[in-house]
Amino acid sequence: MIDEFSRRPEWVRWLPAAVLSVIIVAAVLFAVIGGPRLAEGPGPAATDQVTDLNWSVFTDEGLAYIESARTPRIDLSSPPVDAVSLGLPADGALTVGPHVTDLDYRLVLIATDEQPNGALFTTPQFTVSTSGGRLQSVRVDERGAYDFRETYLLVAQRSADYGFTAPPSTRLAAAVTEAREGGEPVVVRSNTGLTTGMGVTAEMLCFGAGFCTVSYVVTPAVG
C-alpha cells in the first residue's frame, strides 16, 4: 500500500490544497464585491417614486419605494397640502404598514420653514387622511399596547417633544373601567400641542382588558 501511494503523481498530493485555495479566494471576492450590495440600503429614488423635491408620494411607485426604504417624508410646511399631487385620493384614508419585515418606518413630517420644524416618528404604521382634495391629518401609531400607567408615562414623555398635556393617569384608569363595563373601547385625547409647528394630539384607545394603544394625530398648521 505504501508503494502504491508513493507512485501517485505529485499533482494529486497538491489537489486538496489547491481546491481549498480556490474556495478562500472566492469567499474573499464575494465579501469585497457582493457583501456591500447586500448590506447597503435601497438606492436613490426614481423620479416617479418621489416629488421633484424628494418628498414621498403615495402612488403605486411611491409606495413601493416607501416599502423599500422605510423612510417616508411628508411636507406639511405650505398648507393647504394638495392631496392629488401626493398621489392621494381627494377624499379618503390610506394606511401604510405594517411592513412585511415587521420593522418600523422612520416618518419625517416637516412643518414650517423655520424652527421648530416638524418631527421624526418611529412607527409600525401610519394613516394619511384627506378631504376636499386636501391632506387633513396623519395618524401615527405607537407600537404595541400598554397598561394605563405605562400609557400615561409614555404620553407624558412624548408631551415634552410635541407640546400637548398628557391626560392624568386617573382618567386613563377610568377609561379602562368604562370600557370593561360598556363592552366597547373608550378614547381619551390630549389637547393639541403646537411646539413642532404643526398640531399634534395624543389619542389613547383603552380596552376593558386593562391596556391602551397610543396614536398621534398630526394636522398641518392653518394655511
Side-chain angles (χ1 to χ4, degrees):
M1 294 294 294
I2 295 177
D3 292 341
E4 180 181 352
F5 179 79
S6 62
R7 287 196 298 270
R8 291 181 180 179
E10 187 68 21
W11 64 268
V12 174
R13 300 180 184 180
W14 290 98
L15 185 60
V19 171
L20 180 60
S21 298
V22 171
I23 293 173
I24 292 174
V25 170
V28 171
L29 288 174
F30 176 80
V32 172
I33 298 173
R37 296 180 180 178
L38 297 178
E40 68 184 2
T47 54
D48 58 350
Q49 294 176 322
V50 294
T51 69
D52 293 341
L53 297 177
N54 204 35
W55 299 104
S56 296
V57 293
F58 297 89
T59 59
D60 290 342
E61 295 83 0
L63 288 170
Y65 183 72
I66 289 172
E67 289 302 289
S68 175
R70 292 186 294 106
T71 55
R73 303 171 70 248
I74 305 176
D75 183 6
L76 306 179
S77 65
S78 300
V81 180
D82 181 67
V84 176
S85 66
L86 297 182
L88 293 164
D91 298 277
L94 173 68
T95 297
V96 177
H99 196 267
V100 293
T101 64
D102 201 37
L103 295 173
D104 286 337
Y105 300 89
R106 291 174 57 83
L107 171 63
V108 175
L109 301 179
I110 298 298
T112 66
D113 292 331
E114 301 175 354
Q115 293 294 335
N117 194 26
L120 166 66
F121 295 89
T122 301
T123 175
Q125 71 175 30
F126 62 96
T127 300
V128 185
S129 297
T130 58
S131 178
R134 297 179 177 181
L135 187 152
Q136 298 296 323
S137 66
V138 182
R139 175 183 293 273
V140 185
D141 296 336
E142 288 274 9
R143 179 177 290 276
Y146 311 85
D147 67 35
F148 71 90
R149 289 188 180 87
E150 292 171 334
T151 301
Y152 170 76
L153 292 174
L154 173 65
V155 174
Q157 180 183 20
R158 296 288 190 259
S159 68
D161 297 323
Y162 305 138
F164 53 73
T165 301
S169 59
T170 53
R171 176 66 188 103
L172 296 172
V176 171
T177 301
E178 292 175 34
R180 183 182 302 117
E181 294 175 349
E184 295 291 338
V186 175
V187 176
V188 180
R189 294 183 179 89
S190 72
N191 62 344
T192 300
L194 299 172
T195 59
T196 61
M198 54 193 177
V200 182
T201 303
E203 185 173 288
M204 294 132 280
L205 186 63
C206 296
F207 299 83
F211 60 88
C212 307
T213 58
V214 179
S215 301
Y216 308 99
V217 181
V218 182
T219 52
V222 177

